[in-house]
Amino acid sequence: MASRYRPSLYHTLLLGAALGACIASPATAQDRPAAIDVAAQPLAAALKKVARQSSVNILFAPETVRGMTGTALTGRLSARSAVERLIAGHPLRVRQEPNGTLMIVAATPRGTVTGALTDAAPTTDATEVAKAGGNDDIVVTGYSSSLSHALEEKRKASNVADVVRADDIGKFPAQNIAEALQRVPGVSIVRDRGEGVFVRVRGLGANFQVVTLNGRSVAVNENVRDSGQSGRQFRFDTLPSELVSAVEVVKSPRADLDEGGIGGIVNLRTFRPFDLKEPLLNLSANVSAPLLAHKANPRLSGLANWVNDSGTFGALFGAVYDERTTRQDRITGVGWADGRIDANGDGTLDSSTILVPTSARPTLEREDRQRIGLNGAIQWKPDDRFELNVDALWSRLNIHYDELTYSADFSNTSAGKMVPGTAVVTNGVLTAGTVQTSTQIGRETSNLRYSNWLIGTNGRWHADGWTVSTDISIGRAVSNTPSPIYRYRLLGPVGNVAFDFGKVGGRLPTLQFQSADLSQPGTLPGRRIEYRVNDSIDNERAAKFDVVRDLDGIVTALRAGVKAEKRDRDYNRRDINFTGGIAGQRFDAGFFDPFPVSGFLKGVDGDLPRSWLMPNGGAFLGAATGVDSLLAGPLTRGDRRNSYDIAERILSGYAMANFTVPLGGITLRGDVGVRFASTRQTSSGYADNGRIAVPVSYRRDYDNWLPSLNLVGELTDRLQLRFAASKVITRPSLADLAPRLTINSNPTVLTAVGGNPQLAPFQAWQYDGTAEWYFAPGSALIGAVFYKDITTFVFQQTRDFVLDGANYRLTAPQNGGDAYVGGFEIAYQQLFRSLPAPFDGLGTQINYTHTSSKGTYAAAGGGTMRDALVDVARDTFNVTAFYEKGPFGARTSYSWRGKVLRDVGGAGLAANNDSPFGSLDFDMSYAVRPNVTLVVQGINLAGGRQWQYVRDDRFAGYTDYGTTLIAGVRARF
């Protein structure tokens, strides 16, 4: 049967050359002796143990071995020898497939067995083996590809969805779940300090995704390090990957799934006792080495599972401890503006308006992260009619953050400030010159804590074709600063600075300080110490009730349910500036520490200071006066403007039907339904009338009817088509709904961020079409098109705003007009099991997604305009090559996303856009014993760097977080 899938010689040679680095392997695993230790027990269980201990696939039908007992085995045996001894005396025989799989079949036919597949979801090759052995029930054990299982889950789903399973997550370079999701078609990630934090689905940013845990709504942690807030976006860096068994990415919704994700729904499934089926203990330990930080960090994890002999009760507990040190070399705070310059120094600004650089801020960022995760689950299933589950998950992420920076704030648009004859203007852009400049040196230290927990219980009762289930959950996410954030600032003029700004991606800007040395004490006077405490508490409670009626006929099931959800966000922030004893003072060397790293911004051209003064926090705090009286003072107008409360109540319900329609040789299946969601939002905070901050509260209610249809046409046993249509919504970010106003701390670049309690939800009709060809075992070629017709959406608009006599550039969300997001996906996956050994361990995954978008915006000067949607990645792709055979495995993956637009409106200066970025990762493992595996991993091996740009591809930012190497061991008992 396998020969039907043998590729052409050309394809074999091509893939063999591309993956040749992975194919060195000793003798086949079936013939290699392994340490076998199996007690006398039911034959099915004994075969599973041999499969695990030998790392060989063993396939059999449950009916074939039912009632049989395997004898005890001990010693070093090949997998085939061990199997032959186990089945000796039984009417069975073993057959070895060309790909090395051992198949147990009856010595004489025993009839046909029908029923659902047991154990994991079946792979296509398992189905072929079943047909060869005359059975349909197949158990897939031992070393089987999680990719095949995930592909089969996708194939069986009624809606458009992708799955990443636990084997895949645990064995690939993945510091958290987001990084494992990079290989899903249409998914890219947003990194922070080199670690995946948020996910994009089909180009749409993290605010368009809904993240659930075991189908439950989760509380989300908020950013408390700076003024930027993520709102509803789940931070994947708070959840260790070892606690998760699978991740589902749902791209077309069903009526019974939570609403809120125009991009998609990401459901995280944690381990449960019955999933693992037997008592076991998994342990792992590794050490990671971020090369830029020059540190070694430990990561430990363990998972213990117990199930009683009757399989009616089980308990599971998992724990993860992780430390991570990060370093980022950056240039941030790059500003550009349309303005006029005084090129000849005559004190009069020139008549022409050109694009002018206004600032740049080289920054060294260092973090020490400590992450702890705990997971527990209890399952009770006394019979086939009733099941009770209790799940609990707790995680905490502690971060110590240390930032060191200096700025160059140019006075290019002020008369008489530029040195005559130095201005270089190219195509309407001031690219170089010498200008009088002020500089701020700063150091920020902070301790941040993100904790998150969720407890849920559900029960399911089934009898006489009826299934009734309930689920209750409560969760909380707390984000705070256990100790205050301190920023130590020095600020003053530094004379002339020669600058030269190129285009993005070529080199860093030139910043030549002609009369100042930033590494010398006394160069700058003190400005102030900034003090901040910040906390955010997000509470999430939900309860739902579902009922299913199974039917015979075209309609196979009717489903209905209701859900009540309650979310509260309490965000508080206080800022104090200590100027006494600091402002205007010059400090000697005792107030500064040596620059903490070497090789800052190495590996990239650019003439600028790469070390400078590092303020000693304790010394500066000791010099500050009047601190106690300021701390004892009342909240200020700014404190109240920064703080807010959001209360959200959602009541939803749905009705849905599943159906299967035979149409000649074609089977049409799917679901159709409608979901109703009623949302009540109350936003409370403070508004500033120019004298005091006045309490305000806003109420907004809206209802949404959300129909959905998912169709699957099974044209053959290998080819199927999908069509899906639905109405979807995304609720605005909680931070965007807040009546808040946050003023930045830069004395020369005055900006502010605000909220808008009157925001409407994003609404869209979306359509999906997919063709799926499962052409070989564990392999598929899939093409998809999608279109989202967004009828209302929210965008960020920047305008002038006056507060206390100062003019600020205020960025705040506004209700926009209509928009669309459309595109296509192509995914190719193949396991080359039909190739001769040792090439039958080769495999590949390739996917590409293209997204285009356009939206109607309200122009600042009145009227409307059309532009692309912000935070949408136009192009993403991933290429993965792997080799897995016997005890050896190796994988390499390259993930890439194209430009991401963050500014609209034609000026191209309100925000910095992201340049294309790619990351090369690898994983290599070797099983030194059947239950012990050594692992080596690498993240960002090619040293990819992130660049930002503004209009005309002008340089606007740079980030380098380096390469991380990991080595460790995994064991299973």
Side-chain angles (χ1 to χ4, degrees), residues 685-709:
Y686 290 86
D688 199 310
N689 63 10
R691 294 178 294 104
I692 61 173
V694 181
V696 293
S697 183
Y698 301 87
R699 171 78 178 264
R700 183 171 180 85
D701 302 341
Y702 50 88
D703 299 331
N704 299 98
W705 289 93
L706 307 171
S708 63
L709 170 68

Side-chain angles (χ1 to χ4, degrees), residues 38 57 278 358 799 904-905 926:
V38 178
N57 281 343
E278 61 183 358
T358 61
R799 60 181 177 86
V904 297
Y926 187 83

